[in-house]
Amino acid sequence: MSKADTPRSNKTKRAAVYAPGVIPTREEILEAVLAYPDIASKRDIARYFGIKGDDRKALKAVLREMEADGLLARERKTIRIARELPAVTVLDIPGDADPDALHAFPSKWNEEDGERPRVEIRTPGNARVVPAPGDRILARIDRGEELVPNYTGRAMKILAKPRKADIGVVRMDEDGARLVPVERKAREMRISSGDLGNARDGDLVEVEIVESGRLRIPRAKVVSVVGNPQSEGAVSLIALHALDIPYRFPAIVLREAAAVEPAGLEGREDWRDIPLITIDPADAKDHDDAVHAEPDTDPRNPGGHIVHVAIADVARYVQPGSAMDREAFVRGNSVYFPDRVVPMLPERISNDLCSLRSMENRPAMGLRIVIDAEGNKKSHSFHRVMMRSAAGLSYERAQGAIDGTPDDETGPLLEPVLKPLWAAYAALARAREKRGPLALDLPERRIRLDDKGLVADVYVPERLVAHRLIEEMMVLSNVCAAETLEKRNVGLLYRVHDEPGREKLITLGEFLKSLNLPTPRGEGMRPRDFNQILVRAEQEGKSEQVNEMVLRSQAQAEYAPENFGHFGLNLDRYAHFTSPIRRYADLIVHRALIRALDLGDDGLSEAEELRLGQIGQHISATERRAMAAERETSDRLLAHYLADRIGSRFTGKVAGVVGAGLFIRLDETGADGFVPVSSLGTDYFRFIEEQQALVGERTGERFGIGDRVEVRLLEAAPMAGALRFEILSEGMRGEAPGRGKRSQRKPGQSPRGRGKPAARPRGKRR
């Protein structure tokens, strides 16, 4: 191959003559197109390199490959260099990316510029931002010196990932088809018959927005059919798709789970003679914790107890780096809906091999804890064991036996198993009382569905001693895990809950002051201080308002390799250990314990330890995603449940206040809805932040957080999970804000002061 000449300017091209059968390389083609902008077509490239005859076909094949690889872009007959990434850009890391070798793609990319370039993500050991699969990041880009782009990136910030693009439910009517969006603020759109694809009435679909006609009216075009929430009996399908939660296991994961052999006794202590029992909800399918207690016969510990806890040994079956491990990491946790469970692990693992079923041998991580008569821990030790659950009980059955109504199974367990457990819990409860964790009273409503997957009942489960017993033993076990790993100097993921920030405490103090209640004493607040406020609020009949505001003042718990304690539980160190079937954090802690205590060769790897920051960030995000999905699904189910009760009256409380209106939570169902400020009356309502209330500027009428109200249901949008109410009851009367300043305000000018103006009312309250 010989070139007659080389490029010298952008205006003059000199032919580079190639011998017959010799085609220029990619690099040479890129050099030419970069040097001479007027090379704009395949013909120009062939002329430049002197390619003639049959060699033109070979050249075209090379150019097609360069387009496919994102090196060249073509618009009709024009060829140009594909757009390069800017120095700082937004990237999306695929959910199935290898955590040890992350890669990403630009979040926005014009397909006319060729294939999206791949960016290798570099995360140095001292990085402050540690991304994970599935994250959207703002990244600094390094192109490299090669002509063929070789991009690497370093994460600067993890960004909130937008919801999956436009989805909705197809509804057929006399005019054709329309899309009912699942987003609350989105509007319905029409779908042309030619844009329906295979979608049918009731299908959940993903669409793209197209414009048509002179007025450019937006219409929807079906891109794919996600499923049918009615036929699949799963309203949760909407949240799963909207929040991009994986709910189908890849074939390789299922094959890997099916090939797993049950664990044997080798390398394990035999705990099968210890009558451990599981106590779970009546409808639980996986059982990952079992408990046992007995009096301590050591004379040095009078009145003390020995507690045994066994936790499913998920680490035995889910090996680091395996397909199951990668999928579990991507999911982060199981997601629980009223109509389905999306597990972190395949059912072969979660509901079978790892589930501590009654009278079946199961591998477990065992924990032996010695406590004194007051519930203080004296010692503990971890063991890798084989156990056999003596019984699988529901909370109600275990409590019933203690309360005097045993059945055929719980009767024989009462004296040897249940009463010693309750005695040990009584000691732990005394220790808990002394510790003084945050004691918020926030009843949790549950939805019960009928055979059609619709709401049959909404109820608040009775809070039993059996619930508290299991919770307290699990809290103690989690503390033991954190203490052991700290002592052995092995990395772990703490479950951390920071103390409230200064601004939130100020907001809470101003609110309490408006209720004539004691205010926080500033920095250094402990859970016991909040509990005193809650007790005083209950005495004053203001418990609902104060519980809500104290909850809002708290930070959000998360996972992190750095420890700053758990404020809510009032614990110095805490790590989730007790639910490895449904939480990836617990699996990491299990592996860390195996490594720290030399309990096997399947412990935490060095690579995993280096990625603990990344793992913590990722699973904290998947936990928040799961909470959002569960909440949205409940909202949709309840909106559907109430849709045929338009015009009905309900009692409830004000659960939130913003300038635009009031959020109302109904007593009957716990459903949340909105009252626009425009419907409150003829007064001008202002949002008073320190009171968390809307206050009428002329009348002083006040609607504040926690207030009891009566409302009428005006509108229900089941697919969006939205309800709209109007207030029927009068607000409390008080001093009108800023009366003296009203005359100083020019027409149309917003009121001054801390209050924020709400929208002008448009009519009288009915």
Side-chain angles (χ1 to χ4, degrees):
M1 180 183 72
S2 62
K3 291 185 183 180
D5 207 343
T6 55
R8 294 184 178 177
S9 75
N10 289 347
K11 296 181 179 180
T12 304
K13 295 196 297 290
R14 299 181 180 238
V17 180
Y18 279 65
V22 178
I23 304 300
T25 65
R26 293 181 171 205
E27 288 76 10
E28 290 168 338
I29 293 172
L30 287 174
E31 283 180 356
V33 177
L34 283 169
Y36 296 115
D38 52 338
I39 293 181
S41 67
K42 293 179 182 179
R43 180 178 297 178
D44 292 339
I45 294 173
R47 183 184 300 120
Y48 175 80
F49 288 107
I51 304 297
K52 300 179 180 179
D54 292 340
D55 290 343
R56 288 177 179 265
K57 293 182 180 179
L59 176 64
K60 289 180 180 180
V62 172
L63 295 177
R64 283 196 298 270
E65 290 176 359
M66 293 177 71
E67 287 181 46
D69 292 341
L71 303 177
L72 294 176
R74 182 159 56 96
E75 298 176 12
R76 296 183 180 178
K77 293 185 178 182
T78 301
I79 286 180
R80 58 183 172 80
I81 297 292
R83 178 169 64 87
E84 291 195 5
L85 293 178
V88 175
T89 192
V90 177
L91 303 175
D92 285 331
I93 302 174
D96 59 354
D98 184 349
D100 295 324
L102 290 175
H103 67 278
F105 299 98
S107 61
K108 291 185 178 180
W109 186 258
N110 189 342
E111 292 183 359
E112 293 178 348
D113 290 330
E115 292 291 320
R116 293 187 303 165
R118 178 186 173 110
V119 182
E120 304 301 325
I121 303 300
R122 301 284 185 257
T123 306
N126 60 350
R128 293 186 176 182
V129 179
V130 184
D135 283 347
R136 168 165 287 189
I137 61 174
L138 182 67
R140 190 173 299 281
I141 303 298
D142 181 7
R143 185 189 187 280
E145 299 297 328
E146 301 86 354
L147 274 173
V148 177
N150 180 23
Y151 293 114
T152 60
R154 179 173 56 83
M156 302 166 61
K157 184 179 181 181
I158 296 177
L159 305 173
K161 200 168 183 180
R163 304 168 71 90
K164 248 193 169 178
D166 306 300
I167 62 173
V169 175
V170 173
R171 291 299 182 201
M172 307 301 294
D173 55 31
E174 60 273 10
D175 297 322
R178 58 192 171 95
L179 182 80
V180 179
V182 300
E183 291 290 340
R184 299 188 182 196
K185 296 182 180 179
R187 295 183 177 180
E188 289 190 4
M189 287 179 285
R190 301 301 305 181
I191 306 175
S192 300
S193 57
D195 292 335
L196 261 177
N198 297 324
R200 290 184 267 183
D201 186 59
D203 280 349
L204 178 67
V205 297
E206 186 172 355
V207 301
E208 63 181 17
I209 309 304
V210 295
E211 295 178 339
S212 62
R214 290 184 301 171
L215 299 178
R216 314 300 290 174
I217 298 173
R219 303 177 70 89
K221 178 180 180 180
V222 174
V223 175
S224 64
V225 177
V226 179
N228 191 304
Q230 292 298 324
S231 63
E232 296 188 22
V235 174
S236 53
L237 188 66
I238 298 173
L240 290 173
H241 190 75
L243 291 165
D244 202 13
I245 296 176
Y247 62 98
R248 294 190 178 103
F249 285 104
I252 187 174
V253 173
L254 296 176
R255 288 196 301 269
E256 193 174 273
V260 170
E261 294 291 334
L265 187 59
E266 183 180 356
R268 298 177 181 276
E269 297 179 31
D270 193 344
W271 278 24
R272 288 177 292 180
D273 290 336
I274 300 175
L276 291 143
I277 64 170
T278 61
I279 305 179
D280 292 295
D283 58 352
K285 293 183 179 179
D286 54 72
H287 310 275
D288 50 14
D289 58 86
V291 293
H292 169 265
E294 61 187 17
D296 188 0
T297 58
D298 189 337
R300 294 170 297 180
N301 186 27
H305 306 267
I306 298 175
V307 175
H308 294 100
V309 177
I311 305 297
D313 190 357
V314 176
R316 161 61 177 78
Y317 298 113
V318 183
Q319 302 289 321
S322 65
M324 278 196 292
D325 182 47
R326 290 195 298 270
E327 182 69 14
F329 171 74
V330 167
R331 296 184 177 217
N333 44 256
S334 298
V335 189
Y336 294 85
F337 299 104
D339 55 0
R340 67 162 70 185
V341 176
V342 179
M344 184 180 78
L345 298 168
E347 287 192 12
R348 163 78 168 152
I349 304 298
S350 61
N351 291 0
D352 184 6
L353 293 179
C354 283
S355 186
L356 307 184
R357 293 176 176 173
S358 174
M359 305 309 294
E360 294 187 20
N361 292 347
R362 287 291 182 267
M365 288 290 291
L367 174 58
R368 182 181 187 271
I369 312 169
V370 180
I371 61 175
D372 65 19
E374 295 302 310
N376 303 303
K377 182 171 67 69
K378 294 176 65 67
S379 65
H380 72 270
S381 58
F382 285 92
H383 311 260
R384 215 163 186 188
V385 306
M386 182 67 71
M387 55 83 66
R388 182 190 289 126
S389 171
L393 305 181
S394 67
Y395 289 111
E396 292 78 12
R397 291 178 64 207
Q399 189 68 54
I402 289 292
D403 293 342
T405 56
D407 56 33
D408 291 343
E409 185 178 17
T410 59
L413 297 172
L414 184 58
E415 293 296 332
V417 177
L418 293 176
K419 285 188 176 180
L421 273 171
W422 256 254
Y425 167 68
L428 292 174
R430 289 191 287 271
R432 185 183 192 277
E433 183 65 26
K434 290 178 183 177
R435 189 175 83 241
L438 191 60
L440 287 168
D441 181 19
L442 299 167
E444 183 181 356
R445 284 180 171 81
R446 300 284 179 85
I447 295 175
R448 185 182 290 114
L449 303 181
D450 59 21
D451 294 339
K452 297 180 180 179
L454 301 176
V455 177
D457 184 27
V458 181
Y459 65 101
V460 177
E462 184 182 0
R463 185 80 169 140
L464 304 173
V465 175
H467 291 100
R468 298 188 178 96
L469 181 151
I470 294 299
E471 287 177 5
E472 206 56 39
M473 289 188 174
M474 296 305 105
V475 167
L476 180 59
S477 300
N478 290 334
V479 171
C480 291
E483 287 183 357
T484 295
L485 292 173
E486 269 194 5
K487 184 177 181 180
R488 299 282 178 150
N489 199 29
V490 174
L492 76 147
L493 281 177
Y494 293 93
R495 178 65 169 178
V496 291
H497 180 220
D498 207 356
E499 60 185 26
R502 183 171 178 272
E503 290 185 1
K504 288 187 176 181
L505 285 177
I506 291 174
T507 300
L508 176 62
E510 291 175 339
F511 174 75
L512 294 172
K513 186 177 179 181
S514 71
L515 298 179
N516 297 317
L517 290 172
T519 59
R521 53 183 174 81
E523 296 181 7
M525 287 278 290
R526 301 306 305 162
R528 190 177 298 276
D529 301 316
F530 284 100
N531 291 342
Q532 291 173 354
I533 293 172
L534 293 170
V535 169
R536 179 68 179 275
E538 187 174 11
Q539 294 170 349
E540 298 286 335
K542 301 171 182 176
S543 181
E544 287 186 294
Q545 299 100 308
V546 176
N547 266 278
E548 191 76 36
M549 286 302 295
V550 168
L551 176 64
R552 293 184 179 203
S553 72
Q554 303 302 305
Q556 190 167 31
E558 59 185 356
Y559 297 103
E562 301 84 19
N563 182 33
F564 45 87
H566 197 294
F567 181 83
L569 293 173
N570 200 14
L571 292 168
D572 293 332
R573 57 192 57 80
Y574 193 66
H576 274 166
F577 157 75
T578 56
S579 297
I581 289 177
R582 62 184 179 91
R583 292 189 305 225
Y584 195 78
D586 303 54
L587 176 56
I588 289 294
V589 170
H590 276 235
R591 289 175 179 165
L593 288 167
I594 292 168
R595 174 179 164 188
L597 301 172
D598 197 21
L599 296 176
D601 57 4
D602 49 358
L604 190 72
S605 67
E606 292 184 3
E608 283 180 303
E609 188 169 14
L610 291 173
R611 293 195 299 111
L612 285 178
Q614 169 190 338
I615 293 171
Q617 289 180 6
H618 173 71
I619 61 180
S620 295
T622 60
E623 179 184 54
R624 292 190 292 270
R625 180 181 68 180
M627 292 170 61
E630 292 165 4
R631 182 176 61 249
E632 290 182 10
T633 297
S634 294
D635 287 346
R636 291 187 176 100
L637 285 167
L638 291 173
H640 193 285
Y641 181 57
L642 295 171
D644 60 353
R645 298 179 66 181
I646 302 297
S648 297
R649 295 182 174 219
F650 301 91
T651 59
K653 69 174 182 179
V654 177
V657 185
V658 293
L662 306 171
F663 293 96
I664 307 298
R665 183 165 300 146
L666 302 185
D667 295 332
E668 179 183 333
T669 59
D672 291 308
F674 191 66
V675 175
V677 70
S678 59
S679 67
L680 289 181
T682 57
D683 206 344
Y684 184 92
F685 282 84
R686 292 169 55 188
F687 174 47
I688 309 299
E689 187 174 6
E690 60 266 27
Q691 298 181 27
Q692 287 293 299
L694 289 175
V695 182
E697 192 176 77
R698 176 173 52 82
T699 63
E701 187 178 11
R702 176 186 181 279
F703 295 95
I705 195 166
D707 287 354
R708 308 297 307 172
V709 293
E710 184 181 10
V711 297
R712 178 186 287 119
L713 178 60
L714 297 182
E715 182 182 358
M719 285 301 112
L723 301 171
R724 183 166 64 88
F725 300 116
E726 67 170 345
I727 292 278
L728 300 177
S729 51
E730 296 288 333
M732 297 177 63
R733 296 288 173 169
E735 182 179 350
R739 276 187 174 181
K741 297 181 180 179
R742 185 172 176 84
S743 60
Q744 300 173 11
R745 201 172 76 245
K746 298 178 182 179
Q749 180 183 351
S750 298
R752 299 185 180 186
R754 289 187 63 96
K756 298 178 183 178
R760 286 282 183 182
R762 293 194 293 268
K764 294 183 180 181
R765 186 172 64 252
R766 290 190 285 274

